[in-house]
Amino acid sequence: TENTMLFTESAAARAKELLVENEADETVALRVYVEGGGCHGFNYGFGFDNNIAEDDTVIETNGVKLVVDSMSIMYLDSATIDFVSSMHGDRFTIDNPSAATTCGCGSSFSM
């Protein structure tokens, strides 16, 4: 099945800034993943990773790679990965239409 995730230009630009600040090489990608836990059953996580597995999904926006592992991708179908600045701070966000409920901070969800 084709992945319909969106990695926005804003998120790619912020990831690129962080990669440059940390002097990371071009093999490093922003990884988004889903893990058990949180107040609604699942948590989103972000990190940088230069180990891209054969079964990872890779989405590239403006030369920046977003990587999702094969287990997490099923929870993120049609999700939008973005970066927002607000009075609550700057952060990567996930707008996930597959989530039945989310917590107030947006880092936990249920299906």
Side-chain angles (χ1 to χ4, degrees):
T1 46
E2 186 177 327
N3 173 21
T4 58
M5 281 181 65
L6 175 64
F7 181 37
T8 68
E9 290 185 10
S10 175
R14 182 60 182 142
K16 186 172 196 123
E17 288 173 4
L18 292 168
L19 290 167
V20 168
E21 285 174 17
N22 291 294
E23 299 177 0
D25 65 41
E26 65 277 351
T27 64
V28 179
L30 176 63
R31 180 174 290 280
V32 63
Y33 55 91
V34 173
E35 61 187 3
C39 52
H40 284 285
F42 295 100
N43 277 331
Y44 298 118
F46 290 94
F48 287 103
D49 195 349
N50 64 351
N51 295 315
I52 299 174
E54 218 173 271
D55 61 348
D56 281 343
T57 297
V58 179
I59 302 163
E60 193 166 326
T61 300
N62 296 340
V64 180
K65 292 179 182 150
L66 175 77
V67 180
V68 186
D69 66 83
S70 61
M71 292 300 294
S72 296
I73 195 69
M74 66 182 164
Y75 297 106
L76 295 168
D77 185 41
S78 301
T80 299
I81 311 304
D82 199 6
F83 183 80
V84 296
S85 296
S86 71
M87 65 179 173
H88 301 292
D90 300 341
R91 62 189 176 109
F92 287 99
T93 64
I94 299 176
D95 179 16
N96 186 351
S98 300
T101 59
T102 60
C103 68
C105 69
S107 65
S108 178
F109 71 102
S110 68
M111 298 298 278

